[in-house]
Amino acid sequence: MPTLNLQSTHACFGGEQRFYQHASAEIGLPMKFSVFLPPQAQQGPVPAVLYLAGLTCNEETFMVKAGAQRLAAELGLALIAPDTSPRGPEAESLPGSTASWDFGIGAGFYLDATQPPWRTHWRMESYLLRELLPLLAQHLPLEGERIGIFGHSMGGHGALTLALRHPGRFKTLSAFAPICAPTQCPWGEKAFTGYLGPDRTAWQEHDATVLMQNQPIAPYPAGILIDQGLADKFLAEQLHPHLLEAACQAIGQPLTVRRHTGYDHGYYFVQTFMADHLRHHAQGLLQR
């Protein structure tokens, strides 16, 4: 039976902030993740929100920088934050891997790579959906059927695409400054060429805008929330929220994109609007 190795635990707002490592069958290497359990988890399973971090981040970034635990404890939401990518000597020996943080190749992009040398270990989609979430529901007091998903930047891309690629798996969805159309931006083109090869039809299966265009009905009738800073230096070239807006409008998917003057791409921005995102998820996850 797979085991979770608890690396550290910290009392936090009446709950526990935990950091784990485990041997991943999908990745083929050790993987790390963090979980915040609110005080309500002491009485029984609670709903959870999966947070996917962006380029250059790891399983600690969100828990340390986002300021999410206080409100999550009040709401009774668990928080899950996996690492973004495979790590360790074997992974970092590959060209442009996480050791160099080459802004496109190395960071996992939350997909399963099909091209060598990446396809052996870069299996983040299967890792999250087929391994990590079932493992956590088995070992921790989490309600496996009441899971939301959100993320930041590359992780916002991951949240949007995984939610659209796995209908019904995630009950709620939001994002901070997501890469909305990776087939049309330099980060996505570089990562998808490396991970998926030159055939752009394969890329479209991991592009939130294209996936939304192909939805038969609105997948999240209660709405999707996106926050975007207008002082974000990546907005014009990399993020393209207007393309996702158009795709949502075309199929009648309620989408709120809030654009904020003066805010950039970093975690001061994420902190500022974190409470709104947690309440957005709580509204959908805490209702029976």
Side-chain angles (χ1 to χ4, degrees):
M1 178 181 294
T3 59
L4 302 180
N5 299 313
L6 182 62
Q7 305 290 292
S8 66
T9 183
H10 314 270
C12 187
F13 296 109
E16 283 188 276
Q17 177 62 60
R18 300 180 180 181
F19 294 90
Y20 288 93
Q21 180 172 296
H22 73 116
S24 168
E26 288 289 345
I27 299 294
L29 295 169
M31 290 294 290
K32 293 182 178 181
F33 64 90
S34 58
V35 176
F36 171 71
L37 293 175
Q40 294 86 340
Q42 298 168 18
Q43 309 303 319
V46 296
V49 188
L50 175 67
Y51 177 87
L52 304 181
L55 290 160
T56 78
C57 297
N58 59 28
E59 78 286 351
E60 294 184 343
T61 309
F62 170 75
M63 297 302 185
V64 173
K65 292 185 175 182
Q69 290 96 332
R70 181 192 295 272
L71 183 56
E74 294 177 12
L75 295 171
L77 289 177
L79 305 172
I80 305 165
D83 201 350
T84 64
S85 318
R87 296 185 192 269
E90 187 173 352
E92 293 176 0
S93 67
L94 298 178
S97 72
T98 51
S100 64
W101 288 115
D102 192 16
F103 283 84
I105 288 291
F109 266 80
Y110 303 104
L111 52 75
D112 289 356
T114 61
Q115 304 299 304
W118 311 103
R119 64 189 178 196
T120 301
H121 300 302
W122 266 250
R123 297 178 47 79
M124 290 301 295
E125 181 173 7
S126 290
Y127 169 66
L128 293 173
L129 274 295
R130 297 172 55 183
E131 184 172 16
L132 182 63
L133 289 179
L135 191 63
L136 296 188
Q138 178 183 2
H139 288 277
L140 298 178
L142 305 178
E143 294 192 40
E145 298 305 312
R146 289 204 290 168
I147 304 289
I149 189 169
F150 66 154
H152 171 229
S153 190
M154 178 188 73
H157 143 78
L160 293 169
T161 57
L162 293 182
L164 295 175
R165 284 172 55 80
H166 300 274
R169 183 65 184 88
F170 299 102
K171 305 303 181 187
T172 52
L173 174 61
S174 72
F176 296 91
I179 305 171
C180 292
T183 61
Q184 301 183 53
C185 77
W187 280 346
E189 290 181 355
K190 187 170 187 178
F192 287 177
T193 299
Y195 295 147
L196 303 174
D199 182 2
R200 286 178 171 258
T201 59
W203 301 8
Q204 294 178 359
E205 298 176 10
H206 301 276
D207 183 305
T209 295
V210 176
L211 290 168
M212 187 65 74
Q213 290 169 343
N214 293 333
Q215 296 296 307
I217 60 173
Y220 287 90
I224 299 168
L225 174 63
I226 289 177
D227 278 294
Q228 175 62 61
L230 291 178
D232 187 327
K233 65 182 180 180
F234 303 116
L235 175 57
E237 186 177 22
Q238 303 282 12
L239 304 181
H240 301 323
H242 64 287
L243 297 178
L244 182 62
E245 280 182 302
C248 286
Q249 185 175 10
I251 69 161
Q253 168 59 55
L255 171 68
T256 300
V257 179
R258 306 190 305 182
R259 294 172 169 86
H260 305 283
T261 301
Y263 285 89
D264 61 20
H265 196 71
Y267 268 83
Y268 297 114
F269 154 68
V270 172
Q271 286 179 28
T272 301
F273 303 105
M274 178 55 61
D276 294 337
H277 284 250
L278 293 180
R279 291 191 177 98
H280 168 82
H281 290 280
Q283 185 173 15
L285 295 174
L286 296 175
Q287 293 179 350
R288 292 289 185 177

